[in-house]
Amino acid sequence: AWRIGQEKVLKKKRLTRSERLQLSRTTMDFLKLGNLIPIIVIPAAEFALPFILKLWPGFLPSTYATTEQ
């Protein structure tokens, strides 16, 4: 997604709607990973993950999203 956006921006072409959506989803996933790293790094913080997901359902990147969400 980054490569698509980068090529189009450098050539000063407009992104299509699907490319724009993919680029925004990828950017949001990248930012959400920053929030997830402390939970992975801090020992035993994984046990708090179900409670965090209950409070903030959109906490995980879209890679981990199920069709139910």
Side-chain angles (χ1 to χ4, degrees), residues 10-54:
L10 290 176
K11 294 179 182 177
K12 299 195 181 206
K13 294 182 179 179
R14 293 184 57 92
L15 295 173
T16 63
R17 183 174 186 271
S18 62
E19 289 170 339
R20 223 177 22 252
L21 290 173
Q22 182 180 10
L23 189 59
S24 89
R25 183 176 44 234
T26 303
T27 304
M28 288 305 296
D29 284 347
F30 183 72
L31 294 174
K32 287 178 184 179
L33 277 176
N35 296 333
L36 190 61
I37 288 174
I39 292 175
I40 295 171
V41 172
I42 297 172
E46 297 90 16
F47 296 116
L49 192 57
F51 302 109
I52 292 170
L53 291 176
K54 188 75 167 173

Side-chain angles (χ1 to χ4, degrees), residues 44-67:
E46 297 90 16
F47 296 116
L49 192 57
F51 302 109
I52 292 170
L53 291 176
K54 188 75 167 173
L55 292 173
W56 296 289
F59 185 74
L60 291 177
S62 63
T63 308
Y64 300 105
T66 62
T67 55

